[in-house]
Amino acid sequence: MPPRWWDPIMSRVIAVMACGFMLAACSATMPSLDFLKSTPQPEALAIESEPPGAEAKTSLGESCRTPCKLSVQPGSEFSVTLALSGYQPQTVSVRPEAEGAAAGPRLAPNPVHVDLRPAAPPKKPVAKKKPVAAAARPAAPPPMASAAPTPAPTAAPTPAPAPALAPAPSAPTEAAPSATNYPWPSR
């Protein structure tokens, strides 16, 4: 049997150890209770276009070819842009809409339906008419019905040629010194 003075010391040691274990248990990570929170489930957004085959891109980064369905989180408003070659692109705004507390938010409009309008054909520039160049010489007068002999038609006077410019005086050419200093004949 242990001595009597041992009992108070042992009871204190046991109490300190129990407090240490409880303190360590409190500092450990508590399990998350996120499973109790209800997060909105992704909703399928149907996208249709007339004519089909348009490229649909959401502002959230997802895309597909119509007709198609995209899985999106109904959290905040976003937009869907539909584009098809030969048609004007169109953008539709999609927003969450709460139908009831139990149902959670839903997307409106769903399905997204867009009638694409044909793009206006590019306007062709109107070709301007080039002015007709005037005749180089005047037309000869019609022959006269007279007994006098008709003179031969004369050609239009040609402008006098511009005076030729006199060549600029040139400096006398010197033979370039060669590496061998041998006099080469000049040309």
Side-chain angles (χ1 to χ4, degrees), residues 62-173:
E62 299 177 20
S63 65
C64 65
R65 287 246 180 240
T66 60
C68 62
K69 289 187 179 185
L70 293 175
S71 178
V72 294
Q73 283 285 3
S76 62
E77 187 170 335
F78 62 94
S79 62
V80 179
T81 302
L82 288 97
L84 183 61
S85 179
Y87 292 88
Q88 295 176 353
Q90 292 187 18
T91 302
V92 176
S93 180
V94 179
R95 65 193 175 287
E97 197 173 75
E99 293 180 1
R106 295 288 170 214
L107 298 174
N110 193 4
V112 173
H113 183 81
V114 174
D115 289 325
L116 296 172
R117 287 178 259 156
K123 293 184 179 180
K124 294 182 181 178
V126 177
K128 294 182 180 179
K129 292 183 179 179
K130 294 182 181 179
V132 178
R137 57 186 169 116
M144 295 191 168
S146 69
T150 57
T154 60
T158 58
L165 297 175
S170 62
T173 58

Side-chain angles (χ1 to χ4, degrees), residues 19-92:
C19 287
F21 283 127
M22 287 180 17
L23 185 60
C26 288
S27 68
T29 304
M30 293 294 288
S32 174
L33 301 177
D34 286 342
F35 64 91
L36 295 177
K37 295 179 184 176
S38 64
T39 58
Q41 296 297 319
E43 186 174 343
L45 175 67
I47 304 172
E48 304 166 352
S49 70
E50 186 56 45
E55 178 73 22
K57 291 184 181 180
T58 68
S59 59
L60 303 173
E62 299 177 20
S63 65
C64 65
R65 287 246 180 240
T66 60
C68 62
K69 289 187 179 185
L70 293 175
S71 178
V72 294
Q73 283 285 3
S76 62
E77 187 170 335
F78 62 94
S79 62
V80 179
T81 302
L82 288 97
L84 183 61
S85 179
Y87 292 88
Q88 295 176 353
Q90 292 187 18
T91 302
V92 176

